[in-house]
């Protein structure tokens, strides 16, 4: 008979198919059935007391034995469960090479091993070898004493567990090969996702790269949760962390770096995952340090860089290779550069903290110069920690303190454009890291909305978002910054953009009432401002100037703090409109005051500058009017010489600036200036003639007076012509002006000064600058700069004569700075 009996079935029960039980014995039965080619095992029975295996309808054969016929089955057990199975070495699949798993060492058959053969098998070489041995030994020996090789043996491994035998081992190994093939197939698919994500990351498609990595991570958790090879998962997390950092999602990137470090080690084999570096651990620490630096977490970033340096050193000790040294140098250099950034950031933050201690009730209690200095430190810190929301909020508060609302709007919109890069980058397990949950992807706002235009240039400063873009931008700002952005838009008179932002916020307001508690008040201010502004403009057009002035004033009170303007385009325009009303009412002095207030808010407000010059003209203050006109043309010349002037960013506002002036306006202003200059020249000619006449009259008068006094003294009875000392010796003290002696009276005054003052020296350009006529051009320049700094109107706001002094100094400088004009002036002054 070709039917075999396998001792793995050691019970008297009958099996009729694959076992469905959960124990190891039933699983072994199923393996036996599959290994025997689905041959029925019905009829196999074995008695525990020496019975004989039988098969229905077939010949029964009892093995010969010198001892008891009872068979010992204690050493035959079912194979271990899959969790305890040794992985069978397979050839590489795709680009992935399976890791070498520890296989328990197998020993030689122990002394307890029993060689046996029951029945007649179909393995002829075994039967023949057995018969050959029996011939040599002279007979059949006991089954327990047989030492020749048999078809199957059971062995002990180092742990004492017994292996599988016969068809069970074949079935088990086949199943193991199938499982390994399926595992390799799934790993190959995940490796392909990793390769695609890596290519997308290199091409700058960070969002698609994140989605591919997330798909691979989810697939690994669902299908390969028990896979011992975790390096692929670590590689996916590492690549996703890099892509997240590139889109500005640094918090999620740090979390992925933490998880990736759990699945990779310093002795990782780069062949495990294509593209994975030997220094993956130091690289993860460097990425973590970079993201923490961007977030402004100084201590955590410093520790991460230290770990990167230490890990790179340990890896280099294990792998003494040139490539390893190069990679170690690279990662160490990255860490050193990162630590230098941390050092600079720590010093900058210390300087900022010194200013933050000077705040009272949330307000900055520092001077304007200190505020500007603090703003410089914050900008420096943001160049290192660009993802730190606290620094962004601090910069916006400083800009508000300086009343630079245009820059507040620009900074908020640039920040929102950066945040839109992370739209759609938080699927599946990253949803909890989304800083703006529930916000749909942007349709209009793009990450490159500002196209790398700097805020320090005119083109970059003028760049702004459309209404629809602003509506999406307001949803991508930290909730503490949103109220400042909305207020800045209102004060900059961005009516359409404010309406769109309010509409967008209405959708999120019910879900976040605690964060947007200020929204109803801001909405009310916006509507009141728009209604009052329309009413005031209508009153002005109807020539109701006094009523319009009152309405304009009420609008400015909406945001005023302690009676002072908050700045912004809205208040600058309101002041200029009030000046127009005062001009219409023939109140030029009040118009000058309003124009000056507008120019304090917006120094490059060309319309307010011309309007104040006209008000000065009405007040017959031609010199101040000419100075304003010249300032107007100076701004125009500066813009023509350098359209991207470095001084642009200093101006809080840009509307009605030199870039918006047309040629007709330039022509009108030039004619007005020429007319005033002609009037000034005529007045100067008349003044010179009057001064010359007065000087001649004064000279002749003094000469006649002195001669008459001498005659009177000569013929006076009290005078003694022969006594030159008038009755007193030269050593005698003169009586002075008490009436005794010839030195009293006008004669004494005429001879020695006495009580008569010397005629005042006529004021000229040299005396104004405090220099002599022989001063060099360098001395003239130094004198002008020194006096201009002292007498500038902006530094003497409470002195009404400062403007006149500064104007006189400027006129002297305009004449004397040019050698040719100075020469002409010297010639004319001598003729006068």
């Amino acid at each position: 008979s070709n039917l075999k009996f396998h001792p793995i079935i050691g019970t008297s029960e009958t099996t009729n198919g694959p076992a469905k039980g959960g124990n190891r014995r039933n699983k072994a039965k199923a393996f036996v059935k599959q290994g025997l080619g689905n041959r029925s095992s019905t009829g196999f029975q074995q008695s525990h007391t020496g019975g004989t295996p039988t098969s229905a309808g077939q010949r029964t054969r009892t093995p010969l034995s010198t001892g008891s016929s009872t068979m010992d089955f204690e050493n035959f057990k079912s194979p271990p469960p899959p969790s305890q199975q040794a992985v069978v070495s397979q050839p590489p699949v795709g680009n992935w090479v399976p890791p070498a798993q520890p296989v328990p060492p197998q020993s030689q058959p122990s002394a307890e091993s029993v060689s046996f053969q029951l029945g007649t098998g179909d393995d002829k070489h075994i039967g023949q070898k057995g018969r050959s041995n029996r011939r040599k030994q002279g007979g059949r020996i006991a089954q327990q004493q047989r030492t020749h090789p048999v078809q199957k043996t059971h062995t002990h491994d180092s742990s004492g567990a017994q292996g599988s035998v016969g068809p069970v081992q074949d079935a088990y190994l086949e199943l193991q090969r199938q499982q390994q093939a399926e595992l390799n197939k799934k790993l190959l698919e995940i490796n392909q996702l990793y390769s695609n994500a890596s290519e997308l990351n290199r091409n700058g498609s960070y969002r698609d790269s994140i989605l591919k990595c997330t798909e691979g991570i989810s697939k690994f958790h669902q299908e390969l949760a028990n896979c011992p090879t975790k390096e692929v998962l670590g590689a996916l997390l590492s690549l996703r962390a890099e892509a997240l950092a590139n889109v500005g999602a640094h918090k999620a990137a740090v979390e992925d770096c933490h998880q990736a470090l759990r699945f990779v080690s310093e002795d990782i084999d780069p062949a495990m995952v294509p593209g994975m570096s030997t220094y993956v651990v130091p690289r993860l620490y460097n990425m973590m340090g970079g993201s923490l630096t961007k977030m402004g977490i100084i201590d955590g970033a410093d520790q991460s860089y230290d770990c990167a340096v230490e890990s790179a050193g340990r890896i280099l000790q294990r792998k003494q290779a040139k490539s390893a040294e190069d990679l170690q140098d690279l990662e160490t250099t990255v860490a050193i550069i990162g630590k230098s950034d941390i050092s600079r950031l720590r010093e900058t933050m210390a300087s900022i903290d010194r200013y933050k201690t000077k705040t009272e009730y949330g307000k900055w209690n520092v001077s304007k110069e200190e505020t500007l200095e603090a703003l410089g430190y914050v900008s420096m810190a943001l160049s290192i920690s660009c993802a730190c929301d606290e620094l962004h909020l601090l910069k916006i508060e400083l800009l508000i303190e300086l009343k630079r609302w245009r820059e507040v709007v620009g900074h908020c919109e640039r920040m929102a454009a950066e945040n839109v890069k992370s739209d759609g980058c938080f699927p599946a397990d990253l949803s909890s890291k989304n800083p703006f949950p529930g916000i749909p992807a942007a349709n209009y706002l793009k990450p490159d909305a500002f196209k790398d235009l700097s805020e320090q240039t005119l083109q970059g400063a003028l760049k702004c978002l459309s209404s629809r873009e602003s509506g999406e931008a307001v949803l991508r700002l930290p909730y503490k910054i949103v109220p400042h952005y909305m207020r800045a838009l209102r004060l900059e008179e961005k009516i359409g953009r404010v309406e769109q932002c309010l509409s967008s916020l209405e959708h999120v307001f019910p879900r976040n009432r605690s964060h947007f508690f200020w929204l109803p008040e801001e909405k009310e201010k916006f509507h009141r401002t728009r209604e009052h502004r329309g009413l005031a403009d209508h009153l002005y057009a109807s020539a109701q100037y006094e009523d319009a002035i009152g309405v304009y004033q009420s609008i400015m009170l909406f945001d005023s703090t302690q009676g002072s303007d908050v700045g912004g385009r809205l208040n600058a325009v309101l002041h200029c409109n009030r000046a127009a009303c005062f001009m219409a009412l023939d109140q030029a002095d009040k118009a000058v005051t309003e124009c000056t207030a507008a120019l304090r808010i917006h120094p490059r407000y060309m319309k307010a500058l011309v309007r104040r010059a006209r008000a000065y003209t009405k007040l017959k203050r031609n010199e101040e009017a000419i100075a304003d006109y010249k300032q107007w043309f100076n701004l125009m010349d500066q813009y023509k010489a350098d359209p991207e002037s470095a001084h642009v960013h200093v101006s809080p506002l840009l509307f009605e600036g030199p870039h918006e002036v047309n040629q007709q306006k330039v022509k009108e202003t030039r004619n007005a200036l020429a007319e005033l200059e002609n009037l000034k020249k005529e007045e100067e000619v008349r003044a010179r003639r009057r001064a010359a006449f007065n000087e001649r009259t004064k000279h002749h008068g003094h000469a006649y007076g002195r001669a008459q006094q001498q005659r009177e003294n000569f013929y006076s009875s009290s005078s003694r012509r022969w006594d030159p000392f008038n009755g007193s010796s030269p050593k005698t003290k003169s009586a002075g002006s008490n009436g005794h002696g010839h030195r009293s009276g006008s004669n004494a005054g005429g001879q020695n000064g006495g009580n008569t003052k010397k005629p005042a020296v006529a004021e000229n350009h040299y005396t104004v600058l405090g220099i002599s006529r022989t001063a060099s051009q360098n001395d003239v320049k130094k004198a002008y700069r020194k006096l201009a700094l002292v007498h500038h109107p902006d530094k003497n706001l409470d002195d009404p004569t400062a403007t006149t002094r500064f104007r006189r100094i400027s006129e002297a400088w305009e004449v004397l700075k040019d050698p040719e004009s100075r020469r002409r002036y010297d010639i004319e002054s001598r003729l006068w």
Side-chain angles (χ1 to χ4, degrees):
S1 173
N2 295 327
L3 183 63
K4 291 183 179 180
F5 170 76
H6 200 281
I8 195 65
I9 306 175
T11 61
S12 59
E13 61 184 11
T14 304
T15 60
N16 294 318
K20 298 183 180 180
N23 55 62
R24 296 168 62 186
R25 187 173 297 278
N26 290 335
K27 290 181 181 179
K29 293 178 181 178
F31 294 154
V32 170
K33 184 175 181 180
Q34 295 176 4
L36 295 177
N38 293 328
R39 282 181 280 181
S40 175
S41 60
T42 305
F44 282 94
Q45 295 180 354
Q46 174 65 43
S47 172
H48 293 282
T49 59
T52 304
T54 60
S55 178
Q58 295 186 4
R59 184 166 57 117
T60 302
R61 185 171 180 173
T62 303
L64 300 177
S65 175
T66 57
S68 173
S69 62
T70 302
M71 207 58 184
D72 183 10
F73 300 117
E74 292 298 326
N75 293 327
F76 300 94
K77 297 182 179 179
S78 60
S83 61
Q84 301 179 5
Q85 295 171 6
V87 179
V88 178
S89 176
Q90 295 291 333
V93 179
N95 294 326
W96 178 81
V97 180
Q101 297 294 333
V103 180
Q106 303 228 347
S107 62
Q108 297 296 328
S110 64
E112 300 176 356
S113 300
V114 180
S115 299
F116 62 92
Q117 180 171 357
L118 300 178
T120 304
D122 54 359
D123 295 324
K124 297 180 179 181
H125 66 282
I126 295 179
Q128 293 173 358
K129 193 169 186 180
R131 286 191 294 272
S132 174
N133 289 336
R134 285 197 296 273
R135 292 193 198 100
K136 295 177 181 179
Q137 296 174 2
R140 191 180 186 93
I141 61 177
Q143 186 174 5
Q144 292 83 351
Q145 300 176 0
R146 295 175 186 174
T147 59
H148 64 272
V150 295
Q151 180 181 3
K152 301 295 180 183
T153 61
H154 63 284
T155 60
H156 295 279
D157 56 16
S158 60
S159 61
Q162 296 176 343
S164 302
V165 296
V168 177
Q169 186 179 18
D170 294 339
Y172 172 66
L173 293 178
E174 180 63 26
L175 177 63
Q176 200 173 35
R177 283 192 292 269
Q178 294 177 1
Q179 291 176 349
Q180 187 65 39
E182 185 68 21
L183 174 66
N184 290 345
K185 180 180 179 182
K186 293 177 181 178
L187 287 174
L188 183 61
E189 294 175 358
I190 295 177
N191 272 338
Q192 186 62 38
L193 290 174
Y194 175 84
S195 300
N196 296 339
S198 180
E199 183 67 23
L200 290 170
N201 196 36
R202 285 193 297 270
N203 295 334
S205 302
Y206 303 118
R207 183 183 307 173
D208 296 336
S209 177
I210 292 171
L211 296 179
K212 286 290 183 182
C213 289
T214 304
E215 181 182 353
I217 293 170
S218 301
K219 190 177 183 65
F220 190 94
H221 286 307
Q222 293 173 3
E223 301 179 1
L224 302 174
N226 297 326
C227 177
T229 306
K230 303 293 185 180
E231 287 79 2
V232 180
L233 180 59
L236 288 170
L237 289 169
S238 174
L239 183 60
R240 190 173 72 171
E242 181 180 353
L244 287 169
N246 287 326
V247 299
H250 296 285
K251 185 176 181 180
V254 170
E255 182 64 25
D256 274 3
C257 288
H258 272 295
Q259 293 188 23
L261 287 171
R262 296 168 47 197
F263 304 118
V264 296
S265 60
E266 295 177 352
D267 55 352
I268 187 173
D269 185 3
M272 297 295 296
V273 181
M276 178 177 286
S277 170
T278 307
Y279 285 81
V280 61
V281 174
R283 188 165 181 269
L284 284 170
Y285 278 123
N286 280 331
M287 281 197 298
M288 191 188 308
S291 293
L292 291 173
T293 303
K294 297 290 186 183
M295 296 166 62
I297 305 175
I298 299 177
D299 294 335
D302 202 5
Q303 294 175 5
S304 297
Y305 286 129
D306 289 338
C307 292
V309 174
E310 295 173 1
S311 177
R314 288 193 297 267
I315 295 175
L316 182 61
Q317 292 178 357
R318 294 192 186 96
K319 302 182 179 181
Q320 297 294 335
K322 180 63 178 176
S323 59
E325 293 180 2
D326 294 340
L327 291 174
Q328 190 262 351
D329 292 341
L330 174 63
E331 298 301 333
T332 304
T333 303
V334 171
I336 292 173
I337 294 174
K339 288 181 70 66
S340 66
D341 290 341
I342 289 295
S343 178
R344 291 191 295 114
L345 180 61
R346 185 176 280 111
E347 293 176 0
T348 306
M349 293 301 295
S351 301
I352 295 173
D353 291 339
R354 289 198 298 268
Y355 290 100
K356 292 176 69 175
T357 57
K358 298 181 180 180
T359 56
E360 293 181 359
Y361 305 105
K363 300 294 183 181
W364 289 83
N365 188 23
V366 294
S367 63
K368 183 177 180 180
E369 290 74 14
E370 290 177 322
T371 304
L372 287 171
E373 188 174 357
L375 180 61
Y377 282 121
V378 173
S379 299
M380 188 185 305
L382 279 173
S383 65
I384 302 174
S385 300
C386 59
C388 181
D389 293 342
E390 290 76 10
L391 285 175
H392 283 289
L393 179 61
L394 186 58
K395 181 175 181 178
I396 290 173
E397 290 176 350
L398 289 171
L399 290 173
I400 292 174
E401 186 71 18
L402 295 171
K403 302 178 182 179
R404 291 157 66 166
W405 296 99
R406 174 190 63 81
E407 296 179 54
V408 172
V409 173
H411 186 79
C412 291
E413 291 179 348
R414 289 173 182 273
M415 187 178 178
E418 286 293 324
N419 291 336
V420 81
K421 293 180 181 179
S422 61
D423 276 5
C425 296
F426 299 95
D429 58 319
L430 293 176
S431 58
S432 60
K433 306 297 186 299
N434 190 353
F436 309 108
I439 303 301
N443 295 323
Y444 303 100
L445 181 61
K446 303 300 179 183
D448 59 346
F450 292 91
K451 301 178 181 178
D452 298 330
L453 295 175
S454 174
E455 292 180 284
Q456 310 302 323
T457 62
L458 179 61
Q459 188 177 2
L462 290 174
K463 175 64 179 178
C464 59
L465 301 180
S466 63
S467 297
R468 291 181 176 180
E469 290 174 335
S470 297
E472 294 178 342
V474 73
L475 300 178
R476 287 161 178 81
L477 292 173
Y479 68 91
K480 292 183 179 180
I481 295 179
V482 175
H484 300 310
Y485 177 60
M486 293 298 297
R487 187 185 182 192
L489 286 176
R490 177 169 55 83
L491 292 176
E492 286 293 298
E493 293 191 296
K494 310 298 182 183
I495 306 300
R497 295 161 68 182
V498 174
E499 290 178 342
Q500 190 68 38
C501 290
L502 289 174
S503 176
S504 299
L505 290 174
E506 287 293 337
H507 294 86
V508 300
F509 176 70
R511 303 195 304 266
N512 301 278
R513 291 182 179 272
S514 59
H515 292 167
F516 299 101
F517 62 90
W518 49 267
L519 185 59
E521 182 181 357
E522 182 63 33
K523 186 176 181 180
E524 181 184 0
K525 284 184 179 180
F526 168 69
H527 290 302
R528 289 174 59 193
T529 300
R530 185 170 59 175
E531 293 174 0
H532 284 66
R533 176 70 186 278
L535 174 61
D537 292 343
H538 176 72
L539 292 173
Y540 177 80
S542 303
Q544 302 179 31
Y545 303 117
E546 294 183 354
D547 295 338
I549 290 172
V551 177
Y552 284 136
Q553 180 66 25
S554 65
I555 298 174
M556 289 188 288
L557 294 176
F558 290 165
D559 283 285
S560 63
T561 56
Q562 299 179 357
S564 61
D565 290 334
V566 296
R569 171 174 177 162
L570 175 64
N571 287 281
V573 172
L574 292 177
H575 280 297
C576 195
N577 290 351
R578 280 167 57 86
C581 294
F582 283 123
M583 290 286 287
L585 295 172
D586 200 15
Q587 299 178 11
D589 54 342
K590 294 183 178 180
V592 169
T593 303
E594 294 295 330
C595 288
T596 303
L599 289 170
R600 285 197 186 101
I601 299 174
H602 182 16
R604 303 166 69 89
Y605 196 176
M606 307 298 279
K607 181 185 289 187
L609 202 58
V610 171
R611 187 162 290 171
R612 189 174 69 174
R614 292 173 180 170
Y616 280 138
T617 304
K618 279 192 174 185
L619 295 172
K620 305 298 182 181
R621 296 164 61 177
N622 295 336
E623 294 181 354
E624 287 89 341
I626 292 174
D628 280 349
Y629 281 127
K630 287 185 176 181
Q631 177 65 17
W632 193 91
F633 279 106
N634 287 337
L635 293 175
M636 289 298 301
D637 294 339
Q638 183 188 60
Y639 170 70
K640 292 178 181 179
D642 185 10
E644 299 292 337
S645 175
H647 300 286
V648 170
H649 71 280
V650 178
S651 177
L653 301 171
L654 292 177
F655 75 99
E656 292 287 347
H659 59 283
E660 296 182 1
V661 176
N662 54 33
Q663 293 299 323
Q664 181 64 26
K665 191 68 176 178
V666 173
K667 184 178 179 180
E668 293 176 357
T669 307
R670 183 174 288 110
N671 293 336
L673 176 60
E675 183 179 354
L676 282 175
E677 286 180 341
N678 291 333
L679 290 175
K680 180 184 177 182
K681 288 180 181 179
E682 293 176 1
E683 290 180 357
E684 288 178 351
V685 171
R686 288 194 293 267
R688 287 196 298 269
R689 290 175 179 174
R690 286 194 300 268
F693 176 78
N694 293 335
E695 185 68 23
R696 288 194 299 271
T697 304
K698 185 177 181 181
H699 176 73
H700 291 303
H702 281 298
Y704 175 77
R706 287 195 299 272
Q708 183 66 22
Q709 185 65 35
Q710 288 176 0
R711 285 192 296 271
E712 289 178 359
N713 290 337
F714 183 81
Y715 293 105
S716 175
S717 59
S718 61
S719 63
R720 293 181 294 181
R721 296 185 295 275
W722 62 88
D723 187 3
F725 299 103
N726 199 14
S728 62
S729 73
K731 296 183 180 180
T732 305
K733 185 177 180 181
S734 176
S737 60
N738 57 1
H740 302 286
H742 71 281
R743 295 184 181 274
S744 61
S746 59
N747 185 36
Q751 297 290 335
N752 301 316
N755 295 328
T756 303
K757 297 181 179 180
K758 293 182 180 181
V761 179
E763 185 184 51
N764 54 51
H765 293 332
Y766 293 98
T767 58
V768 169
L769 296 180
I771 58 177
S772 64
R773 288 181 177 273
T774 60
S776 63
Q777 290 297 120
N778 193 25
D779 294 336
V780 173
K781 183 186 295 186
K782 290 181 179 179
Y784 166 72
R785 290 183 175 178
K786 180 178 179 180
L787 294 175
L789 289 175
V790 174
H791 299 286
H792 197 281
D794 291 345
K795 294 189 176 181
N796 301 274
L797 299 177
D798 299 329
D799 187 1
T801 63
T803 303
T804 304
R805 294 197 306 271
F806 182 77
R807 174 190 54 77
R808 187 68 186 91
I809 294 169
S810 300
E811 290 176 355
W813 165 248
E814 290 293 328
V815 174
L816 299 181
K817 70 179 181 179
D818 183 31
E820 183 62 23
S821 63
R822 179 180 179 182
R823 185 182 63 83
R824 290 197 301 268
Y825 173 78
D826 291 340
I827 294 173
E828 291 175 359
S829 62
R830 292 192 187 96
L831 294 176
W832 298 342

